[in-house]
Amino acid sequence: GRTRHLADFRGRLVLLSFGYTSCPDVCPTTLAELAQLRRHLGRRADEVQVLFITLDPERDTQSVLADYMAAFDSAFIALRGDRQRTDQLIAALALVAEKRGDGSAYSIDHTAGIYVIDRAGHLRGRHDYGEPLAALQQDVGKLLKL
């Protein structure tokens, strides 16, 4: 319900993903893995902020996103902009986000992965969908100096 900037999360490791709540497989799998990673970190989990940016602001209202995030981890934050701002972000980051189908049952083919942003706000890497969770855990551990 408010404008957020990457700088709002300085001092925390940010794990950023893009998707939409109606995604049948990639998005819920990614968020479930991120929830598992946070559980693995135990008390250090508060040093990691998961951000999920919707590519479908028409269907993913603030309340829909809040309910969706709560199913994974109450600390996850979902972000949405209007269609124009979302399209600007897609273009700026060279993401894929292609609507497939008509009516309300459409899907969105999209870039799938997790962007790792360090405590200073610098992009440190990207983990593609399907990579073993252990690889992400290792990178997070190095950045948190576990």
Side-chain angles (χ1 to χ4, degrees):
R2 62 183 174 158
T3 301
R4 300 302 295 258
H5 302 278
L6 192 54
D8 296 340
F9 305 102
R10 289 265 164 80
R12 298 175 84 188
L13 185 67
V14 173
L15 302 176
L16 172 66
S17 68
F18 297 87
Y20 65 112
T21 63
S22 299
C23 180
D25 46 24
V26 172
C27 299
T29 299
T30 299
L31 292 170
E33 288 179 345
L34 290 170
Q36 182 180 348
L37 181 140
R38 281 185 37 88
R39 285 190 301 274
H40 172 78
L41 290 171
R43 291 179 294 180
R44 303 281 311 263
D46 288 342
E47 298 176 49
V48 175
Q49 180 62 62
V50 172
L51 300 178
F52 177 82
I53 299 177
T54 183
L55 300 171
D56 190 11
E58 292 78 18
R59 289 189 295 194
D60 290 346
T61 64
Q62 186 175 346
S63 63
V64 167
L65 286 165
D67 291 344
Y68 189 69
M69 293 292 102
F72 298 99
D73 188 313
S74 61
F76 288 6
I77 296 175
L79 303 170
R80 71 182 288 274
D82 59 24
R83 172 50 48 202
Q84 180 181 1
R85 291 189 73 167
T86 300
D87 288 344
Q88 289 170 348
L89 181 62
I90 290 166
L93 297 176
L95 299 173
V96 171
E98 297 177 8
K99 187 175 175 182
R100 302 278 186 213
D102 296 316
S104 63
Y106 62 87
S107 64
I108 300 173
D109 290 345
H110 62 89
T111 301
I114 300 164
Y115 295 84
V116 180
I117 301 165
D118 69 18
R119 295 173 190 262
H122 300 111
L123 179 64
R124 295 296 296 266
R126 182 173 178 270
H127 285 264
D128 291 326
Y129 177 75
E131 283 185 41
L133 181 58
L136 179 60
Q137 287 174 331
Q138 183 177 17
D139 284 352
V140 166
K142 286 178 185 176
L143 291 169
L144 293 178
K145 297 183 177 150
L146 296 178

